[in-house]
C-alpha cells in the first residue's frame, strides 16, 4: 500500500487490500464501524470536550474492548461468536494491542471481505482480518453483529 | 566589562598617551617586557611590579606620585587578592592614568573576581603584537569546551557556557565560530555569532567566512536554534542565507524566509523545517491510531508543543492542505478556541475555523 505502513501493518499489501477513500480526520474506525462518517468516536471525560469527537452518553469512557463493544451496542451491535460471514448480519471485529487496549474496528462487507478506516488515513477494503494484525493493531479479540439492512454494503 | 579590543604595542602606546583614568593591557605572554616598553615611552611614570598581595599593591598605589602608574606582575594574585582589590577599587581612580598590564590569566581573574574594578576599565586593550601563532591555553580550553558541547548535541548548554564565560572575548567567539565552520556545524555557528559586529581584521575574516558559507549553502542534518528543541533529520536539508538588500532571506525546502537580520531569517527557516520534520514524523508514526489522546503522547508532539507560539503559523499552514487533529495543540499554544461549546462540527471544519482565525490574526495569508 504505502511503504511507510510496513512497520504498522506488515501483512497489508496491494495483493490483499485496496484504497476506497481519501484521507480524512473526520471519523475513525470505531465511528465507521457504527456507520458514522462525520464523528470521531473516542472516549473522553467531559471536560474537556473536543470538537468533532463523540462518545455515546452513558457508556464507560475507556479503551477496553468491552467499552468499545458497549459503544457499538448503542447502534444495535451485540457480541457474537466468530467472524464468518452470515448473510443476515453485519459484523464488526475489535482489535486489541498487546496491552489489551482496543485499537481498531473493522466492518464486514456483504461478500465476506472487510472494510476499515485507518486512524486519520484512508478507508481500505481488505480480504481478511489478518491483513491488519501486527504491531499496531495487535489481533482480533471480539466480534459483534447486528441485523443487516438493505443499505448496508 | 568591555571585551578586550585588539591593538599593536605602538597602538597601545598611542592610546595610553592620550588617555586618562583606569586602563588595562592584556598581554599574551610575559608582562614584564611590555611594562618596560611602556615605562620608556611614558617618562615620569611609576612602575609597580609583582606586588606580593593586594594590600601591598594598594599601599604602593596610594604612595605613588606620578602622572602614570604602571602595574604588572599580578599572576601570583589569587581570587582573594582580586576580591580585595575589587573592594578597594577607589584607590585606583586617583591618578590621571593607571595601567594594569595583565596576562590573559590575570585578565580572566580580574573579570571573574573583581567585576566592579573590571567594569571601570573600559575598554581593555588586547595586545596582538608578538603573539604570533602561539595559542593561549585558557582560550583554547574554552574554545574546546564550547565546541565539544555544540557538537555533542548540547547546544543550549554551550550557549549558556558562552554567555557565562569570563572574559567573554570576541576572540573566544571568533575562534569557536571558526572551529564550528571547520566542522560544517553551520547553524550553531550562525546563532553563536548572532548579531556580533566585527571589531578587527581577525573578526572580519570570521564574519566573511561565515557569510560566504551561508551564501554558498550548506546541508544540515540537525536543526537547532536558541530556545528550541534540536531535531535530527532523517536526510540533510539544503539551506542558504543571502542578503537581499534591506533584508536577509533564508532559503530552505523551496521556501524563502525573510528576516531583518541573518538570525531572524535563519530562525524562521529552522522553525519551519523543524515543524515539518516533527509533524511528518508524528503523522507517519501515529496517523493510524484511532485514539487522539494516544497520538498526543508521541514525543514529536511534545517537541512541537515546546516550540511555543512561534510554531503556530506553521501548524495553520499545514492544516490548510492536510486537516488533522491539531485542535488540542493549537488551543494549548494560543489559549484560543474558535469552536463554541456544544457546537457540532467535524474535525475538518474545526481545522478550517483555525485557519480562518489565523488569517484574522495575520498568522497565515
Amino acid at each position: 500500500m504505502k511503504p511507510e505502513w510496513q512497520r504498522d501493518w506488515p501483512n497489508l499489501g496491494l495483493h490483499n487490500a485496496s484504497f476506497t477513500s481519501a484521507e480524512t480526520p473526520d471519523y475513525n474506525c470505531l465511528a465507521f464501524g457504527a456507520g458514522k462518517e462525520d464523528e470521531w468516536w473516542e472516549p473522553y471525560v467531559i471536560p474537556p470536550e473536543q470538537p468533532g469527537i463523540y462518545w455515546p452518553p452513558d457508556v464507560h469512557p475507556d479503551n477496553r474492548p468491552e467499552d468499545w463493544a458497549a459503544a457499538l451496542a448503542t447502534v444495535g451491535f451485540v457480541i457474537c461468536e466468530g467472524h464468518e460471514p452470515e448473510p443476515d448480519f453485519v459484523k464488526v471485529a475489535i482489535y486489541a494491542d498487546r496491552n489489551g487496549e482496543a485499537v481498531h474496528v473493522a466492518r464486514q462487507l456483504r461478500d465476506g471481505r472487510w472494510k476499515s478506516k485507518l486512524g486519520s488515513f484512508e478507508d481500505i477494503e481488505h480480504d481478511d482480518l489478518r491483513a491488519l494484525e501486527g504491531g499496531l493493531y495487535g489481533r482480533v479479540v471480539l466480534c459483534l453483529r447486528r441485523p443487516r439492512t438493505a443499505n448496508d454494503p | 566589562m568591555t571585551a578586550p579590543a585588539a591593538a599593536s604595542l605602538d597602538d597601545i602606546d598611542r592610546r595610553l598617551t592620550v588617555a586618562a583614568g583606569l586602563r588595562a593591557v592584556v598581554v599574551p605572554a610575559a608582562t614584564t617586557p611590555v611594562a618596560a616598553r611602556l615605562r620608556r615611552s611614558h617618562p615620569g611614570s611609576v612602575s609597580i611590579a609583582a606586588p606580593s598581595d593586594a594590600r601591598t599593591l594598594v599601599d604602593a598605589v596610594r604612595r605613588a606620585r606620578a602622572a602614570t602608574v604602571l602595574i604588572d606582575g599580578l599572576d601570583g594574585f589569587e581570587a582573594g587578592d582580586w576580591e580585595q582589590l575589587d573592594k578597594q577599587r577607589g584607590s585606583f581612580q586617583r591618578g590621571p592614568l593607571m595601567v594594569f598590564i595583565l596576562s590573559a590569566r590575570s585578565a580572566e581573574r580580574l573579570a571573574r573576581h573583581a567585576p566592579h574594578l573590571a567594569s571601570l576599565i573600559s575598554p581593555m586593550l588586547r595586545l596582538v603584537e608578538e603573539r604570533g601563532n602561539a595559542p593561549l591555553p585558557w582560550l583554547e580550553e574554552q574554545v574546546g569546551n564550547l565546541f565539544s558541547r555544540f557538537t555533542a548535541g548540547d547546544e543550549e548548554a554551550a550557549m549558556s557556557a558562552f554567555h557565562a564565560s569570563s572574559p567573554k572575548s570576541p576572540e573566544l567567539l571568533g575562534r569557536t565560530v571558526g572551529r564550528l565552520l571547520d566542522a560544517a556545524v553551520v547553524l550553531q555557528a550562525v546563532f553563536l555569532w548572532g548579531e556580533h559586529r566585527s571589531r578587527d581584521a581577525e573578526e572580519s575574516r570570521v564574519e566573511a567566512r561565515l557569510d560566504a558559507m551561508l551564501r554558498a549553502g550548506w546541508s544540515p542534518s540537525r536543526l537547532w536554534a536558541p530556545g528550541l528543541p534540536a531535531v535530527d533529520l532523517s536526510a540533510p536539508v539544503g539551506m542558504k542565507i543571502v542578503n537581499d538588500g534591506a533584508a536577509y532571506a533564508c532559503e530552505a525546502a523551496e521556501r524563502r524566509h525573510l528576516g531583518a537580520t541573518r538570525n531572524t531569517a535563519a530562525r524562521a527557516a529552522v522553525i519551519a523545517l523543524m515543524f515539518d520534520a516533527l509533524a511528518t514524523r508524528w503523522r507517519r508514526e501515529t496517523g493510524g491510531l484511532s485514539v487522539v489522546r494516544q497520538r498526543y503522547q508521541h514525543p514529536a508532539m511534545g517537541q512541537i508543543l515546546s516550540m511555543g507560539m512561534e510554531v503556530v503559523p506553521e501548524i495553520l499552514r499545514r492544516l490548510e492542505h492536510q486537516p488533522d487533529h491539531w485542535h488540542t495543540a493549537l488551543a494549548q499554544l494560543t489559549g484560543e478556541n474558535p469552536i463554541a461549546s456544544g457546537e457540532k462540527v467535524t474535525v475538518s471544519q474545526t481545522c478550517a475555523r483555525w485557519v480562518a482565525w489565523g488569517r484574522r490574526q495575520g498568522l497565515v495569508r
Side-chain angles (χ1 to χ4, degrees), chain A residues 4 7-9 23-26 28-29 38-44 49-53 63 68 101 103 118-121 136-137, chain B residues 283-295 322-325 327-328 337 339 341-351:
Chain A
E4 65 268 27
R7 190 194 66 163
D8 289 341
W9 302 295
E23 294 182 339
T24 174
D26 288 346
N28 62 352
C29 59
D38 59 353
E39 292 169 345
W40 179 283
W41 282 28
E42 177 172 334
Y44 62 88
E49 186 182 349
Q50 297 291 320
I53 295 185
N63 288 311
W68 283 33
E101 296 255 302
V103 288
L118 303 179
S120 291
F121 298 145
L136 190 65
Y137 285 174
Chain B
R283 185 169 170 88
R284 186 180 65 237
E285 297 183 7
T286 71
L289 291 173
S290 292
V291 179
V292 177
R293 198 171 63 241
Q294 290 173 355
R295 295 187 71 190
Q322 190 178 68
D324 204 344
H325 290 270
H327 171 80
T328 301
N337 184 357
I339 311 297
S341 178
E343 190 177 1
K344 186 166 171 56
V345 288
T346 64
V347 173
S348 295
Q349 289 166 337
T350 304
C351 293

Side-chain angles (χ1 to χ4, degrees), chain A residues 62-139:
Chain A
D62 209 343
N63 288 311
R64 296 173 305 170
E66 53 266 41
D67 300 319
W68 283 33
L72 289 163
T74 63
V75 291
F77 282 98
V78 295
I79 292 174
C80 67
E81 292 288 329
H83 56 75
E84 294 75 19
E86 296 179 61
D88 296 333
F89 291 92
V90 175
K91 288 191 173 181
V92 292
I94 298 176
Y95 292 69
D97 64 15
R98 67 180 62 184
N99 299 318
E101 296 255 302
V103 288
H104 184 62
V105 170
R107 190 173 74 193
Q108 197 170 40
L109 298 169
R110 198 175 287 272
D111 64 2
R113 298 172 73 241
W114 295 81
K115 192 165 182 177
S116 285
K117 172 68 161 66
L118 303 179
S120 291
F121 298 145
E122 295 91 339
D123 297 353
I124 62 164
E125 285 184 6
H126 45 108
D127 292 347
D128 50 35
L129 293 172
R130 187 181 161 276
L132 289 178
E133 287 185 340
L136 190 65
Y137 285 174
R139 62 186 182 83

Side-chain angles (χ1 to χ4, degrees), chain B residues 131-146:
Chain B
R131 188 184 65 203
N133 294 321
L136 304 175
W138 67 272
L139 180 62
E140 288 304 309
E141 187 183 333
Q142 287 200 37
V143 170
N145 285 340
L146 290 177

Side-chain angles (χ1 to χ4, degrees), chain B residues 121-134:
Chain B
I121 303 171
S122 178
M124 289 176 77
L125 299 173
R126 172 166 50 93
L127 181 61
V128 292
E129 195 177 74
E130 299 175 1
R131 188 184 65 203
N133 294 321

Side-chain angles (χ1 to χ4, degrees), chain B residues 6-350:
Chain B
S8 68
L9 199 46
D10 286 340
D11 186 31
I12 285 173
D13 248 350
R14 185 176 50 78
R15 292 200 210 181
L16 293 182
T17 300
V18 298
L22 200 49
R23 294 289 183 273
V25 177
V26 183
V27 178
T31 59
T32 309
V34 176
R37 158 80 185 266
L38 294 177
R39 192 163 58 244
R40 284 196 299 277
S41 56
H42 289 77
S45 61
V46 167
S47 183
I48 301 172
S52 57
D53 53 30
R55 172 176 289 192
T56 307
L57 173 57
V58 170
D59 287 346
V61 166
R62 284 178 177 157
R63 285 196 303 273
R65 297 280 183 270
T68 302
V69 179
L70 304 169
I71 303 165
D72 85 299
L74 303 180
D75 268 7
F77 272 32
E78 299 297 335
D81 291 309
W82 287 108
E83 286 162 6
Q84 191 66 25
L85 293 185
D86 204 38
K87 289 177 186 165
Q88 301 191 39
R89 56 188 176 279
S91 306
F92 298 93
Q93 294 178 279
R94 294 182 174 184
L97 177 60
M98 184 95 51
V99 185
F100 283 93
I101 303 157
L102 304 168
S103 66
R105 171 191 165 93
S106 294
E108 188 179 356
R109 289 188 172 187
L110 164 69
R112 182 171 299 170
H113 301 294
H116 300 98
L117 176 60
S119 69
L120 298 173
I121 303 171
S122 178
M124 289 176 77
L125 299 173
R126 172 166 50 93
L127 181 61
V128 292
E129 195 177 74
E130 299 175 1
R131 188 184 65 203
N133 294 321
L136 304 175
W138 67 272
L139 180 62
E140 288 304 309
E141 187 183 333
Q142 287 200 37
V143 170
N145 285 340
L146 290 177
F147 178 80
S148 300
R149 287 184 176 180
F150 271 117
T151 52
D154 206 357
E155 291 93 345
E156 292 297 333
M159 288 296 276
S160 299
F162 173 70
H163 289 301
S165 65
S166 178
K168 187 165 52 188
S169 70
E171 196 162 35
L172 173 62
L173 175 63
R175 285 203 189 194
T176 308
V177 167
R179 196 147 166 210
L180 289 170
L181 293 179
D182 288 343
V185 186
V186 182
L187 270 178
Q188 287 79 351
V190 168
F191 291 117
L192 178 62
W193 187 256
E195 310 298 344
H196 182 75
R197 293 186 177 186
S198 302
R199 296 155 53 127
D200 62 21
E202 194 175 331
E203 288 178 32
S204 296
R205 275 195 296 276
V206 174
E207 167 76 39
R209 192 178 162 210
L210 178 62
D211 195 51
M213 206 153 187
L214 299 180
R215 269 188 284 111
W218 79 105
S219 298
S221 55
R222 180 177 172 83
L223 299 170
W224 170 79
L228 296 175
V231 172
D232 290 309
L233 301 173
S234 54
V237 59
M239 295 183 79
K240 181 187 280 191
I241 301 179
V242 293
N243 191 329
D244 210 12
Y248 283 85
C250 184
E251 298 168 4
E254 299 179 357
R255 285 179 67 187
R256 193 172 164 86
H257 303 267
L258 299 177
T261 67
R262 188 167 52 202
N263 263 30
T264 51
R267 187 177 178 88
V270 166
I271 286 170
L273 293 170
M274 264 184 188
F275 171 75
D276 190 56
L278 290 168
T280 300
R281 184 177 159 217
W282 181 66
R283 185 169 170 88
R284 186 180 65 237
E285 297 183 7
T286 71
L289 291 173
S290 292
V291 179
V292 177
R293 198 171 63 241
Q294 290 173 355
R295 295 187 71 190
Y296 269 73
Q297 290 166 2
H298 193 279
M301 178 54 78
Q303 284 180 280
I304 290 169
L305 292 173
S306 74
M307 293 168 75
M309 267 302 284
E310 283 180 293
V311 79
V312 169
E314 295 301 323
I315 298 177
L316 297 172
R317 196 169 175 276
R318 177 170 281 241
L319 278 188
E320 286 187 285
H321 63 87
Q322 190 178 68
D324 204 344
H325 290 270
W326 288 101
H327 171 80
T328 301
L330 286 167
Q332 184 176 324
L333 289 166
T334 65
E336 299 284 338
N337 184 357
I339 311 297
S341 178
E343 190 177 1
K344 186 166 171 56
V345 288
T346 64
V347 173
S348 295
Q349 289 166 337
T350 304

